[in-house]
Amino acid sequence: MVPELFRVLAAAQEASGGPDVGQLVGRFGQYGVVGLIVVLLIWGVLVPKYVMNNLIVDKDGWRAAYETERDAHQATRQQLAAAQASAEVANEQGQAMVRLLEEFGHRPHTAPRSA
């Protein structure tokens, strides 16, 4: 069966530049259900159970990794938001202190800003 398949593929490639799918299906179709199963296996419509189980395990592993990463990024975003709020509070407190010192007549010494 395999040598016949190679002959059909070679003849189809020489004749039209590509394999004739109809002829291939016809060649395998003459073998009945077994030919249909072989064609479906070649096309990837049917896959063995162990392959499907491996794909499901792989999919579950990737999903778990995605959810773990998503949770880690959410925690990072929350920490950044808390740090930003803390920095804004500290900045506001510093500005209030400067205004208070200026009201009392003191001129606060500020560090020169770097560009």
Side-chain angles (χ1 to χ4, degrees):
M1 185 159 79
V2 173
E4 185 177 311
L5 175 63
F6 289 135
R7 271 189 263 119
V8 170
L9 285 173
Q13 286 179 350
E14 289 175 7
S16 65
D20 184 12
V21 176
Q23 188 178 18
L24 287 174
V25 171
R27 293 284 183 163
F28 283 108
Q30 71 184 352
Y31 297 110
V33 176
V34 175
L36 178 65
I37 290 173
V38 169
V39 168
L40 293 176
L41 282 171
I42 290 173
W43 284 347
V45 175
L46 292 178
V47 293
K49 185 173 180 171
Y50 71 91
V51 172
M52 188 56 114
N53 289 340
N54 289 343
L55 288 173
I56 289 172
V57 168
D58 193 37
K59 176 193 67 109
D60 292 341
W62 280 108
R63 181 177 301 277
Y66 167 75
E67 290 173 357
T68 302
E69 193 69 23
R70 184 183 61 195
D71 293 341
H73 282 293
Q74 182 62 30
T76 302
R77 282 191 288 276
Q78 290 172 349
Q79 289 175 352
L80 287 174
Q84 180 68 25
S86 175
E88 289 173 358
V89 167
N91 190 18
E92 187 65 34
Q93 287 176 347
Q95 289 175 355
M97 186 62 72
V98 168
R99 283 192 302 271
L100 185 63
L101 287 172
E102 287 175 349
E103 286 178 11
F104 286 134
H106 294 285
R107 186 170 172 180
H109 297 283
T110 58
R113 292 185 179 212
S114 60

